């Protein structure tokens, strides 16, 4: 089989167990696909030696008959995860040359499960962006194109490299992180599945921080079953992360029955936005019908504070970013500016940060520092925290009323062309997160499932939001939606 890279995790795992292929063959197939796809700029640090070494070890482990589900499966790792001895620079010039001496807990969990790391994936700088256009490595490019058009389109952000690589079959799956939609939006843009688990389900240790109360790692995969398999391997309690939940991790795959009879699915009226494209509105209505046909009860719900979510998010996230990014000062690691005679430590900080941080990161750091400053702390940051509490309570009230999951669009549009939004007001770009940020503010699990294509042949996705810690139930509802939608579109190969 020369197309082994086109398999999903579950299919590849089953072939490995039957002895019909080997991890080395799977890995070589992916490495060839990666080398032929430089036009996508998805993989930014390739690690073929590490990959083949791990693949050989996985084959030996499988032969012994004691291998976890992820054993031998080749995956990509977002450049936000620290990987021992491998460049980990969060797509920023300020971390150029940084090779950690340690492994992030999530990537270690995957390595312990026998997963094979193919390399590091492109992303927006410090995960700040919705289009993968803020990366020090240059833009990641979607394998999809509009019908009859050769213009490059965005794979979404910040996990754009992960989305592009999974959609183009360069790897079987990839890790992503989600602070305001950075797993779910790119998944919807590229026709793949992406789940952000409950805050605290995956350890944040060793993941370069953007906004610590919002960041959460999760898998980006070719279907819901694969998401369940990979999420279980990524999750664990971690004493090194004080926000990590000490809860047993269930077998998510075993919970995929597809039976959602009697489940209550909420449709929030506040997500019906002015100017929402008709095809998104139609997709959402069709999704509700599919779940109803599968036996779920569709109920209208209200999340009254939704309209304040985006402004609250764009106060809280930059505030936490300005605090987290203060450590990049050119003293201990990463880039340090060349100094002139007479320059002191202040000049070193200023020049290093001016050279090392891109425009979007500088913008958010300045906004964050401003809202945390003495005169504005109460007016902005404290008020945003209070709004966040109200948004969280909206969800709690809905779940207390018996709703099992909430169905919304994943994005306000299909993917847009690279360069189409960069010259516009930055708020236009921020509006991409309108359906996803509430989930991060409330710490809930959310999943994007591909359910259709637009008039130009680009993928569209729906989002399901679940109760806290009930990823298994959420994945099962997503599994039912996926089965009903029957999405099988793939990008035509042009790269």
């Amino acid at each position: 089989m020369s197309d082994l890279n086109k398999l999903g995790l579950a299919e590849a795992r089953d072939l490995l167990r039957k002895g019909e292929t080997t991890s080395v063959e799977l890995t070589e197939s992916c490495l060839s696909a990666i080398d032929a796809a430089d036009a996508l700029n998805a993989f930014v640090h390739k690690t073929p030696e590490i990959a083949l070494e791990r693949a050989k070890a996985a084959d030996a482990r499988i032969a012994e008959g004691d291998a976890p589900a992820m054993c031998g499966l080749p995956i990509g790792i977002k450049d936000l995860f620290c990987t021992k001895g491998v460049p980990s620079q969060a797509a920023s010039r300020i971390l150029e040359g940084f090779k950690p001496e340690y492994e992030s807990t999530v990537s270690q969990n995957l390595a312990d499960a026998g997963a094979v790391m193919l390399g590091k994936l492109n992303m927006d700088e410090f995960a700040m962006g919705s289009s993968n256009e803020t990366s020090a490595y240059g833009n990641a490019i979607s394998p999809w194109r509009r019908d009859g058009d050769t213009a490059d389109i965005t794979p979404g952000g910040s996990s754009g490299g992960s989305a592009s690589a999974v959609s183009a079959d360069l790897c079987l799956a990839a890790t992503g992180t989600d602070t305001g939609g950075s797993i779910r939006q790119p998944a919807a843009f590229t026709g793949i599945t992406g789940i952000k688990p409950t805050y605290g389900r995956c350890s944040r240790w060793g993941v370069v921080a953007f906004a610590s109360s919002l960041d959460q790692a999760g898998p980006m995969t070719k279907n819901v079953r694969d998401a369940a398999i990979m999420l279980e391997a990524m999750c664990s309690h971690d004493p090194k992360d004080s926000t990590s939940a000490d809860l047993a991790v269930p077998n998510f795959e075993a919970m995929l029955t597809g039976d959602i009879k009697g489940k209550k699915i909420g449709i929030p009226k506040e997500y019906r936005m002015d100017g929402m494209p008709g095809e998104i509105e139609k997709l959402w209505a069709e999704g509700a019908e599919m779940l109803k046909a599968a036996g779920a009860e569709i109920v209208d719900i209200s999340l009254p504070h939704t309209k304040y979510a985006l402004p609250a998010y764009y106060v809280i996230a930059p505030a936490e970013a300005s605090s987290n990014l203060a450590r990049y000062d050119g003293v201990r690691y990463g880039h340090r500016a060349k100094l002139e005679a007479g320059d002191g430590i202040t000049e070193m900080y200023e020049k290093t940060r001016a050279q090392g941080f891109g425009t979007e990161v500088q913008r958010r750091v300045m906004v964050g520092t401003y809202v945390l400053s003495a005169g504005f702390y109460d007016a902005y940051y404290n008020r945003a925290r209070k709004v966040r509490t109200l948004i969280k309570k909206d969800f709690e009230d809905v779940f207390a009323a018996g709703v099992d999951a909430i169905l919304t669009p994943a994005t306000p549009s299909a993917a847009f062309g690279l360069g189409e939004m960069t010259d516009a007001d930055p708020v236009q770009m921020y509006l991409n997160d309108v359906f996803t940020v509430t989930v991060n503010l409330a710490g809930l699990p959310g999943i994007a499932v591909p359910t259709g294509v637009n008039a130009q042949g680009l993928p569209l996705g729906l989002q399901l939001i679940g109760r806290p810690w009930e990823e298994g139930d959420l994945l099962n509802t997503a599994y039912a939606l996926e089965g009903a939608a029957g999405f099988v579109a793939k990008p035509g190969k042009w790269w």
Side-chain angles (χ1 to χ4, degrees):
M1 275 177 83
S2 57
D3 289 347
L4 290 169
N5 55 302
K6 294 185 174 167
L7 295 171
L9 296 176
E11 299 163 290
R13 170 196 63 186
D14 296 347
L15 288 180
L16 286 172
R17 297 301 175 274
K18 288 179 196 158
E20 290 177 22
T21 188
T22 65
S23 177
V24 169
E25 287 170 339
L26 275 170
T27 302
E28 284 172 342
S29 180
C30 289
L31 292 172
S32 302
I34 291 164
D35 286 338
D38 285 346
L40 298 177
N41 199 24
F43 275 89
V44 288
H45 299 293
K46 300 175 186 177
T47 57
E49 298 84 7
I50 293 173
L52 289 167
E53 186 186 316
R54 289 194 186 174
K56 284 171 191 157
D59 281 334
R61 195 166 165 186
I62 291 164
E64 285 165 15
D66 136 53
M70 286 295 294
C71 190
L73 303 178
I75 60 169
I77 303 286
K78 186 177 178 177
D79 193 42
L80 206 63
F81 293 82
C82 287
T83 42
K84 188 174 180 180
V86 175
S88 306
Q89 62 182 89
S92 179
R93 280 187 293 277
I94 208 154
L95 275 173
E96 219 161 330
F98 176 57
K99 291 184 181 178
E101 287 303 310
Y102 53 89
E103 191 80 26
S104 78
T105 300
V106 164
S107 55
Q108 187 64 60
N109 286 351
L110 287 164
D112 291 347
V116 174
M117 179 176 79
L118 296 163
K120 303 297 284 292
L121 292 158
N122 205 347
M123 54 176 281
D124 278 297
E125 184 182 5
F126 283 106
M128 297 182 195
S130 302
S131 62
N132 217 134
E133 291 175 278
T134 68
S135 168
Y137 309 118
N139 302 343
I141 293 165
S142 174
W144 292 82
R145 285 191 161 165
R146 299 179 183 119
D147 289 344
D149 189 354
T150 57
D152 289 336
I153 63 164
T154 177
S158 66
S159 309
S162 300
S164 180
V166 174
S167 183
D169 294 320
L170 310 186
C171 51
L172 273 51
T175 63
T177 61
D178 192 309
T179 305
S182 288
I183 285 174
R184 290 158 290 149
Q185 183 248 26
F189 274 4
T190 54
I192 64 170
T193 299
I195 180 169
K196 179 203 95 73
T198 312
Y199 181 78
R201 181 60 100 174
C202 282
S203 170
R204 290 182 300 109
W205 195 83
V207 181
V208 178
F210 162 15
S212 303
S213 75
L214 301 161
D215 300 344
Q216 195 60 195
M220 301 180 73
T221 59
K222 296 178 187 180
N223 55 54
V224 173
R225 182 174 293 280
D226 289 359
I229 292 168
M230 188 166 170
L231 181 61
E232 187 186 344
M234 290 172 71
C235 296
S236 65
H237 171 56
D238 183 9
K240 296 196 288 286
D241 172 6
S242 61
T243 61
S244 166
D246 192 0
L247 286 175
V249 180
N251 179 340
F252 294 126
E253 190 186 7
M255 300 170 85
L256 300 180
T257 61
D259 179 8
I260 56 165
K261 285 186 186 66
K263 295 279 182 197
K264 253 192 189 175
I265 310 292
I267 307 288
K269 63 172 197 264
E270 289 78 9
Y271 282 56
R272 289 201 163 81
M273 304 277 175
D274 291 342
M276 188 198 286
E279 53 200 13
I280 299 278
E281 190 86 58
K282 181 168 172 281
L283 184 84
W284 191 13
E286 286 169 356
E289 281 306 313
M290 288 174 201
L291 293 172
K292 191 174 178 182
E297 181 192 345
I298 306 297
V299 293
D300 286 324
I301 58 167
S302 177
L303 298 166
H305 295 93
T306 297
K307 62 183 173 197
Y308 306 116
L310 215 53
Y313 173 83
Y314 278 103
V315 169
I316 292 167
E320 294 187 11
S322 84
S323 169
N324 277 325
L325 270 56
R327 70 191 71 173
Y328 303 109
D329 51 16
V331 176
R332 287 155 296 183
Y333 47 77
H335 174 76
R336 178 184 294 186
K338 288 199 165 47
L339 303 180
E340 293 162 19
D343 279 351
I345 192 154
T346 305
E347 288 78 11
M348 187 195 78
Y349 285 169
E350 287 172 355
K351 288 180 179 177
T352 296
R353 288 171 176 158
Q355 291 169 15
F357 289 145
T359 329
E360 182 59 31
V361 171
Q362 290 182 19
R363 179 187 288 125
R364 296 201 198 189
V365 166
M366 287 191 288
V367 167
T369 307
Y370 177 80
V371 300
L372 289 176
S373 59
F376 301 102
Y377 184 89
D378 280 335
Y380 291 105
Y381 184 65
N382 242 350
R383 188 170 291 182
R385 284 174 57 215
K386 288 172 183 167
V387 169
R388 180 182 190 169
T389 305
L390 294 172
I391 289 166
K392 191 165 185 286
K393 187 171 185 312
D394 285 351
F395 283 105
E396 284 166 0
D397 292 348
V398 163
F399 291 134
V403 168
D404 295 287
I406 298 166
L407 180 73
T408 77
T411 56
S413 69
F416 46 90
L418 288 167
E420 281 178 17
M421 279 223 198
T422 37
D423 301 330
D425 170 2
V427 174
Q428 286 302 112
M429 188 72 90
Y430 298 166
L431 287 169
N432 264 288
D433 303 331
V434 67
F435 298 127
T436 48
V437 294
T438 50
V439 180
N440 299 78
L441 289 167
L444 299 170
I447 186 168
V449 181
T451 40
V453 291
N454 75 349
Q456 297 168 306
L458 296 180
L460 297 170
L462 289 174
Q463 171 180 236
L464 282 160
I465 303 166
R467 295 164 173 266
W469 314 114
E470 292 188 17
E471 290 86 358
D473 198 48
L474 178 66
L475 282 158
N476 187 45
T477 307
Y479 186 61
L481 179 63
E482 175 187 65
F487 182 91
V488 289
K490 293 291 287 183
K493 192 170 190 302
W494 54 264
W495 59 92

